[in-house]
Amino acid sequence: MLAELTIRNFAIIDEIRIQFEPGLNVLTGETGAGKSIIIDAVGLLLGDRAQSDVVRAGTDRALIEGVFLLDERLARILRPRLHERGLIEADDPLDTLILTREVRRHGQNICRIDGRAVPLKLLQAIGEHLIDIHGQSEHLSLLRPRTQLRLLDRFAGTLDLRAQFAAKVAEWQQVRKTREALALSERELAQRVDRLTYIVEEIRQANLAPDEEEILQAKRRLLANAERLALLSQQAYTLLYEGSDEQQSVLDMLGDVQRALSELARLDERLRDQAQEVENAAAVLDDVAHTLNDYMDRVEYDPAQLQEIEQRLDLIFRLKRKYGDTIEEVLAVAERAEQELQDLADAEERLAELHEQEEALLHEIGRLGVELSRIRRDAARQLCAAVERELRDLRLEHSRLDIAFTWHPTPDGAPVPEAFDNDPTARYAFDASGFDHITFLVSTNPGEPLKPMARVASGGETARLMLALKTVLGHADETPTLIFDEIDTGIGGRLGGVVGRKLHGLAAQHQVLCVTHLPQLAAFGDAHFRIHKVIEAGRTLTRIERLDEQTRLAELAMMLGTGESAWEAAIELRRAAREMRHV
């Protein structure tokens, strides 16, 4: 659950910290006080798109941080992904998680989990397991067939089967793409063969070796500096071995030192080691002198060989510019081109194999699609019955809900088992979600035929349909925290108590946060937060306070009206809510 929420410099909020409770948390306040801004901040924390204008005027950055308490089930789900990213060790305890989102005025935003920077996609992936936000915009999204199918899958528990189906579709698409790439026209095939042949011949004729470039560059360095190498080796040899008219050679002088030390060692044995070291040094320098002499004889300036090396390095440079950054990458291009040429040479046989694979995958897609559809249809009947029961509580006693399933036949589709369709030649269109195209059909008045929800329901009816669906789905949903942002839009006060009781029922299995204008609903909260605006130093700021029972009654009375009767009505609302919660 969301245990604590901190918001700094977000819109008209300078800084607030809210400690939420398990159960039903209600947030009330006047219009514009900042209730929905808090929900927007939570959405940003879960990975919603960030706009720099959310940063409060006069500040550089906005920050939202949420502390989440995890149960064992959720820890098991999140642990592998967090461990894969190196955020936790495999055996670390995982009972708390801290998500942070920082938005800077100049556009940069930073996501963190437990203080460590992470990509936005990971924040979104983790967040979707923690909180489900049902905002006002969902009244419209409920009318979209794709949203309706996603809701049905959540209720039916078919999300894993749907993912399995989608993976099989992706595999089929890859096989089909490979087959289509081979099934080129004769002219395109010839052009492709010519291109691949040119690549292979150009690279293979170069006869490249993986470490050739480094060896050539070393040789070029020696040839290009031949004169300098000869001069330096001659200077070193002369100083060591020959000397000059003005100065003895190093070895001659070292001989003098050696003779002096030998005489010293005969007189004082303590210098015997030093005499031996000089003798060894003379031997080493003598070897160096002979090596330098041999080296001078081998140093040669060969312009022709240098030119050959330059040309070879230029060839390697041109091949790298065309095919890769290294010789290994260039050789890999040749190998892939040779493999593709082989594939093209065997195209007819390969096409037959791919066609067989594609057809086998289509049959598997058909089998999985039928299984998915059967489970959905069974669940649809249960969902409609459950929603109709909820609608009766919401004063839509005569409403009926049905879910229409449509399949579209097409010659290019997937076949289905004969037991499901009497026509063994029938094939049906599909996408990653299955064969099913569904539409929520509703009738809200007696005698009215079922019609698509988008054409029938008014704003208030849509809100009640949404609440009924969310109530039913909420019992099947494992997301620990559910947020309802003004779900009571279009619902009058006489239904507020019913809505409050339903949300409180959800709160038995979930932590529920609800932004509401209805005192009848707010009376059901296990915790009540009042949000209001203040003006400090000429700036409008949002403040939030946790209400105790007395201040809560005052808030309910203010929501109801003014006068002593409002206070009495508030007391009655609280009493009735406590009784209804146990019905």
Side-chain angles (χ1 to χ4, degrees):
M1 72 171 211
L2 176 59
E4 185 174 293
L5 178 68
T6 301
I7 305 173
R8 294 193 187 100
N9 299 325
F10 184 78
I12 60 172
I13 298 174
D14 58 345
E15 180 171 1
I16 61 173
R17 179 176 283 107
I18 317 169
Q19 292 181 328
F20 292 109
E21 300 291 335
L24 177 59
N25 297 259
V26 296
L27 291 82
T28 63
E30 295 180 358
T31 300
K35 301 184 298 299
S36 292
I37 292 176
I38 293 174
I39 306 304
D40 291 341
V42 175
L44 196 68
L45 183 65
L46 301 178
D48 285 354
R49 185 177 179 182
Q51 300 286 351
S52 59
D53 59 3
V54 302
V55 180
R56 191 170 73 93
T59 64
D60 295 329
R61 65 193 68 186
L63 181 138
I64 302 97
E65 182 174 274
V67 179
F68 295 85
L69 304 182
L70 311 181
D71 58 20
E72 292 184 7
R73 180 198 65 81
L74 196 55
R76 283 196 305 271
I77 293 173
L78 299 181
R79 185 184 301 279
R81 183 162 289 188
L82 296 172
H83 176 58
E84 179 186 356
R85 288 282 184 171
L87 297 174
I88 62 170
E89 297 299 328
D91 56 351
D92 282 351
L94 186 59
D95 52 12
T96 304
L97 205 61
I98 301 175
L99 303 189
T100 309
R101 186 85 179 272
E102 182 180 302
V103 181
R104 300 185 179 181
R105 179 167 299 281
H106 299 296
Q108 182 186 12
N109 70 94
I110 300 171
C111 308
R112 293 188 179 90
I113 296 178
D114 284 348
R116 297 177 63 178
V118 297
L120 176 61
K121 285 188 176 180
L122 179 61
L123 189 77
Q124 292 169 335
I126 298 298
E128 69 182 12
H129 291 286
L130 301 173
I131 294 180
D132 195 0
I133 299 179
H134 309 299
Q136 298 176 61
S137 61
E138 282 200 87
H139 294 352
L140 298 177
S141 70
L142 180 60
L143 308 179
R144 302 183 188 122
R146 286 191 176 275
T147 302
Q148 294 170 355
L149 185 60
R150 187 172 64 253
L151 292 174
L152 177 59
D153 279 328
R154 283 172 55 188
F155 180 79
T158 50
L159 292 176
D160 288 342
L161 182 58
R162 175 170 170 168
Q164 185 181 349
F165 182 90
K168 194 62 64 175
V169 170
E171 185 180 351
W172 168 78
Q173 289 172 333
Q174 185 59 46
V175 171
R176 185 181 187 185
K177 181 180 178 181
T178 303
R179 179 182 62 79
E180 289 176 345
L182 287 176
L184 301 170
S185 69
E186 187 174 351
R187 176 179 297 178
E188 290 173 328
L189 184 62
Q191 290 174 345
R192 185 61 180 162
V193 168
D194 287 345
R195 173 61 181 161
L196 293 171
T197 301
Y198 174 81
I199 291 173
V200 171
E201 289 179 352
E202 184 180 29
I203 296 175
R204 294 307 184 204
Q205 286 176 2
N207 196 25
L208 300 173
D211 58 349
E212 179 180 4
E213 187 174 13
E214 291 77 8
I215 295 172
L216 288 174
Q217 287 175 342
K219 287 183 177 180
R220 180 177 64 178
R221 189 163 53 250
L222 292 176
L223 288 170
N225 293 281
E227 293 183 1
R228 181 67 174 163
L229 293 171
L231 176 62
L232 291 173
S233 58
Q234 176 64 52
Q235 288 177 348
Y237 175 78
T238 299
L239 290 170
L240 280 173
Y241 201 79
E242 294 181 349
S244 63
D245 295 339
E246 296 82 9
Q247 182 178 341
Q248 287 181 293
S249 70
V250 171
L251 285 170
D252 287 340
M253 288 189 290
L254 198 57
D256 293 341
V257 175
Q258 186 178 354
R259 285 187 291 275
L261 277 174
S262 296
E263 182 66 23
L264 283 170
R266 283 195 295 271
L267 298 175
D268 188 348
E269 290 187 355
R270 290 176 298 176
L271 295 175
R272 181 177 299 171
D273 291 343
Q274 284 74 15
Q276 184 61 48
E277 288 176 3
V278 171
E279 184 178 349
N280 294 339
V284 169
L285 290 176
D286 187 66
D287 289 341
V288 171
H290 284 87
T291 299
L292 287 171
N293 191 42
D294 293 340
Y295 181 81
M296 285 187 295
D297 293 338
R298 292 196 305 273
V299 172
E300 59 178 342
Y301 177 63
D302 189 343
Q305 186 182 10
L306 179 59
Q307 185 177 7
E308 289 177 5
I309 290 175
E310 294 284 5
Q311 291 172 346
R312 184 68 177 170
L313 287 171
D314 182 64
L315 172 62
I316 293 172
F317 173 78
R318 286 187 282 109
L319 290 174
K320 284 168 54 180
R321 187 172 57 184
K322 292 171 67 174
Y323 301 118
D325 294 331
T326 64
I327 289 179
E328 287 83 355
E329 292 180 10
V330 174
L331 293 172
V333 169
E335 290 177 4
R336 289 195 297 270
E338 287 177 332
Q339 182 59 55
E340 188 174 348
L341 280 172
Q342 184 63 39
D343 290 341
L344 291 173
D346 301 333
E348 187 172 348
E349 180 180 350
R350 178 65 174 151
L351 280 171
E353 291 176 0
L354 290 170
H355 180 75
E356 187 176 336
Q357 288 182 31
E358 190 176 348
E359 194 61 21
L361 286 168
L362 283 173
H363 278 82
E364 181 66 10
I365 287 169
R367 184 189 67 79
L368 288 173
V370 166
E371 182 182 355
L372 182 59
S373 186
R374 279 177 172 161
I375 298 174
R376 284 170 172 169
R377 290 168 194 253
D378 289 341
R381 288 188 287 272
Q382 299 173 37
L383 176 63
C384 290
V387 170
E388 286 176 358
R389 287 193 296 271
E390 297 293 332
L391 289 173
R392 284 195 289 273
D393 291 341
L394 294 169
R395 306 295 190 268
L396 290 174
E397 297 89 348
H398 303 291
S399 293
R400 291 182 296 135
L401 179 68
D402 194 11
I403 299 177
F405 285 77
T406 306
W407 285 18
H408 298 296
T410 174
D412 299 329
V416 299
E418 191 172 344
F420 190 81
D421 194 318
N422 293 327
D423 184 358
T425 64
R427 290 174 176 257
Y428 296 93
F430 60 89
D431 58 21
S433 66
F435 292 120
D436 299 317
H437 295 262
I438 71 168
T439 304
F440 279 21
L441 303 175
V442 66
S443 170
T444 56
N445 296 300
E448 290 290 330
L450 290 163
K451 294 180 181 179
M453 189 180 294
R455 292 168 47 192
V456 174
S458 66
E461 289 170 338
T462 301
R464 279 182 275 179
L465 284 165
M466 167 66 79
L467 180 59
L469 274 167
K470 293 300 183 183
T471 301
V472 172
L473 291 169
H475 294 293
D477 196 345
E478 293 186 331
T479 308
T481 299
L482 306 178
I483 296 180
F484 294 89
D485 184 12
E486 300 190 12
I487 192 70
D488 52 17
T489 299
I491 296 175
R494 63 193 183 95
L495 286 179
V498 178
V499 175
R501 181 159 56 88
K502 291 188 177 298
L503 290 180
H504 197 271
L506 279 178
Q509 298 168 294
H510 305 269
Q511 180 192 43
V512 177
L513 279 59
C514 179
V515 174
T516 181
H517 290 290
L518 289 179
Q520 294 85 354
L521 190 162
F524 280 82
D526 296 302
H528 190 150
F529 298 88
R530 176 175 174 263
I531 300 162
H532 61 283
K533 291 189 295 188
V534 299
I535 298 177
E536 296 180 2
R539 297 288 300 276
T540 301
L541 303 174
T542 291
R543 294 285 181 260
I544 186 166
E545 59 179 320
R546 168 78 181 270
L547 304 181
D548 58 22
E549 186 63 27
Q550 197 68 13
T551 52
R552 183 172 189 173
L553 289 172
E555 174 72 2
L556 292 175
M558 186 178 68
M559 295 170 72
L560 286 162
T562 57
E564 187 176 342
S565 60
W567 180 266
E568 293 174 353
I571 295 174
E572 177 60 24
L573 278 181
R574 284 289 290 152
R575 184 196 63 76
R578 281 191 289 267
E579 291 180 357
M580 290 179 67
R581 288 192 302 189
H582 301 294
V583 173

